[in-house]
Amino acid sequence: MPGGRPRAFDAEDVLDRALEVFWWYGYEGASLSDLTAAMGINRPSLYATFGNKEQLFRKVLDRYFAGPGAFAAEALDAPTVREVIEHLVLGAVELTSGPHTPRGCLSVNTVHACGSDSEPVRKEAIARRMAGEAALRRRFEQAADLPADYDPGVLAQLVHTVTDGIAVQAASGHTRDQLERVAGLALRTLLRPVG
């Protein structure tokens, strides 16, 4: 039987609290003191359970993409190109301007707000974002209903540009109503009738 005391906390629960701290303050803005206070654990427990701050953040990104950001992967299962794009654009509004979440997107904020000391974290966020865009491109490539004059790769990049823009606008203080109006116009433009 292994020695040592059993953990006195729920690792999943404290990971959710760390996610909130990183989402509010960004990777660099979240201090270890902020994290341990929010998580309700001490530094030795943080290190023993999650590793260092960078390793904790990687686990938080996993949690983010499986939780609040899961709409992006779920959108790929929508039956039509129109529904995939609607799910992504409207999901971005929901994610970034919800009443109980920080404004903006954890992933977008990480890409834009990390200095050279945090380059590995920034590269990790970029790699995950690129994988999401590649998955969207593949979904469009397989779509029987994609208009012939749409390039799947360019459309995937455009949709990501729109959703990233929504995240930046939300972080800048735009209201949910404003973001929904922008999303509506973006959808009408992206999903124009072809014929």
Side-chain angles (χ1 to χ4, degrees):
M1 192 168 174
R5 293 186 325 185
R7 243 188 251 154
F9 59 88
D10 179 329
E12 299 299 310
D13 180 53
V14 297
L15 199 54
D16 284 338
R17 291 189 226 156
L19 189 160
E20 288 181 27
V21 173
F22 282 124
W23 201 348
W24 278 107
Y25 299 109
Y27 177 77
E28 290 186 341
S31 69
L32 284 174
S33 297
D34 294 330
L35 289 163
T36 54
M39 296 165 79
I41 62 175
N42 59 32
R43 285 186 190 201
S45 293
L46 185 150
Y47 292 132
T49 306
F50 301 107
N52 61 24
K53 181 180 173 183
E54 182 179 324
Q55 292 168 320
L56 172 63
F57 186 75
R58 290 174 192 270
K59 289 178 174 73
V60 161
L61 278 179
D62 291 339
R63 191 101 173 143
Y64 180 77
F65 285 113
F71 74 93
E74 292 164 2
L76 302 178
D77 294 329
T80 67
V81 166
R82 174 178 291 278
E83 290 171 285
V84 169
I85 295 171
E86 286 175 344
H87 198 83
L88 287 168
V89 172
L90 297 177
V93 172
E94 178 68 29
L95 173 73
T96 63
S97 65
H100 304 295
T101 59
R103 296 307 212 114
C105 168
L106 174 65
S107 175
V108 172
N109 294 345
T110 301
V111 169
H112 294 289
C114 279
S116 58
D117 289 345
S118 304
E119 189 62 17
V121 168
R122 183 175 175 277
K123 284 183 177 177
E124 175 72 19
I126 289 170
R128 291 180 189 228
R129 297 176 56 66
M130 296 296 285
E133 188 175 309
L136 183 58
R137 184 197 72 241
R138 287 190 301 274
R139 170 63 180 86
F140 290 154
E141 287 170 348
Q142 297 166 0
D145 62 327
L146 184 71
D149 62 338
Y150 277 61
D151 177 282
V154 174
L155 181 58
Q157 186 177 7
L158 177 58
V159 171
H160 268 234
T161 300
V162 169
T163 58
D164 286 359
I166 287 170
V168 171
Q169 293 284 302
S172 300
H174 286 77
T175 67
R176 184 183 187 96
D177 184 57
Q178 290 172 318
L179 296 174
E180 286 173 345
R181 288 198 307 267
V182 167
L185 179 57
L187 289 171
R188 286 192 303 277
T189 302
L190 285 168
L191 303 172
R192 65 173 171 72
V194 175

